Amino acid sequence: MSHSPSEADRSFEIVASSQVRELASGIDSMYLSGRAVLPEAFVDRLERARGRALDGREPVGFDLGGVEFGLTPFGWGRYPYRLSHEYGLIGFTPSEHLPAVRVQPKAQLLHGIGPAATVDTFSSVVSTVASVEWSVARADLFADVQGFWPGANTRERFVCRARTLATFEEAGDLTGFQFGKRRGGGITARMYEKSGQARKTGADYWFEMWGEKYRPGEPVARVEIEFGRKVLHQCEIESPDDLFSNLAGLWGYGTEWLSYRQPTADKTRSRAPVAPEWEAIRNVSLRDRAVTVQRTTSSKKAATERQIIQGLCGYLSSFAAIRNVDSIGASLDLIDPVLRDYERETGIPFSARVHKKRQKWEWGL
């Protein structure tokens, strides 16, 4: 949880306007569990593929419904078979004590095509091997707003049913809060500055989603409420359709569980009136506008490329220093034969390395 100095080169003090502006809101994360009976032939194919992955100590390709996943040597918690793709993870288990399927979509798919289409995408892939009854194991709802950012000295204005409150700082500046602990399938909440975090992680598509309502230089308050399986069941939310049709009620429950109050002389904070800024957050639309999946994926690739360039520049400049040259051109001329010699020594063609890296990218590894 951090903010970019270019976004806000001052300490975050209380920021509030007469009108809190909603930039985006909706579902930010969604984990699915699926009840199914996996065919023995399919489990055998998973086991054989995992054996190859263990032998080679690296993922192997695995076709599921015409989509190539990477089956990793290691499992996913209690799920021994972990299939990875740039758009999400799928776990399988033959155990009768667990849902046979577990799915965790990646953010770039969820925000690229929308939650309902994301469920349809994974359903169509998994249904090629088994009929599945889906339930929601976890859902994170969010609201991004400008016109409101609480300072560290206003933390006492938050009223929460959880007993724990953690604050996060960077270089002396408040960057976020966390309310409650993630355990037992209950509820937790987070509030942090989103614009700097989006740039840091390469999720630049958020700026497109926010559109003209976004004002550069002003912090974006992300309020994120995580609902685990236990609380979802209490709210009678079982299936994805239950979730989609009850977003307002679930958000209302979460923003009562956590609230921000007006300061009063009464020492009992729960009796203080809800602040107008929080009322605005409680009444967000929850109709997140999806951007194209190509846009979300390209943003992630651009961030990865920036990181690679930083590392490449560091390594190439070190090589140049050893070889006593100063320019990029001279450094590249010298390193070309060195890389070709290394290719012959290892017996691994450069093209083979590229192919393996491309697969790992497509598999989300």
Side-chain angles (χ1 to χ4, degrees), residues 6 10 19 57 63 83 117 148 158 177 184 212 225 270 319:
S6 62
R10 53 175 171 72
Q19 184 176 2
R57 298 182 180 181
D63 182 274
L83 274 61
F148 169 63
F158 284 104
F177 301 91
E212 296 180 355
I225 304 178
S270 60
F319 178 80

Side-chain angles (χ1 to χ4, degrees), residues 83-157:
L83 274 61
S84 182
H85 188 274
E86 64 174 315
Y87 292 153
L89 302 176
I90 301 178
F92 288 104
T93 178
S95 172
E96 297 179 356
H97 304 292
L98 293 170
V101 190
R102 180 185 182 189
V103 169
Q104 180 182 339
K106 294 286 183 70
Q108 56 260 42
L109 182 67
L110 194 62
H111 293 299
I113 63 176
T118 295
V119 174
D120 291 342
T121 297
F122 280 96
S123 293
S124 65
V125 171
V126 177
S127 66
T128 59
V129 295
S131 177
V132 182
E133 180 182 352
W134 294 107
S135 62
V136 182
R138 170 182 155 186
D140 297 4
L141 306 189
F142 80 99
D144 291 340
V145 301
Q146 283 188 308
F148 169 63
W149 178 259
N153 60 340
T154 63
R155 58 182 291 175
E156 70 278 358
R157 292 179 59 179

Side-chain angles (χ1 to χ4, degrees), residues 165-181:
L165 164 59
T167 59
F168 299 86
E169 296 184 3
E170 185 173 304
D173 292 344
L174 175 71
T175 57
F177 301 91
Q178 178 165 311
F179 305 87
K181 293 183 178 180

Side-chain angles (χ1 to χ4, degrees), residues 10-21 145-151 153-154 157-158 191 215 217-221 260-263 275-281:
R10 53 175 171 72
S11 298
F12 281 141
E13 298 298 335
I14 184 67
V15 176
S17 66
S18 58
Q19 184 176 2
V20 174
R21 300 186 313 282
V145 301
Q146 283 188 308
F148 169 63
W149 178 259
N153 60 340
T154 63
R157 292 179 59 179
F158 284 104
M191 184 174 183
R215 295 179 185 173
E218 187 177 328
V220 175
Y260 187 74
R261 304 300 181 102
Q262 292 276 55
E277 300 94 334
W278 197 257
E279 288 288 0
I281 289 170

Side-chain angles (χ1 to χ4, degrees), residues 302-320:
T304 302
E305 185 174 299
R306 289 196 297 267
Q307 294 173 352
I308 292 172
I309 290 172
Q310 291 175 1
L312 184 62
C313 185
Y315 281 117
L316 189 61
S317 60
S318 296
F319 178 80

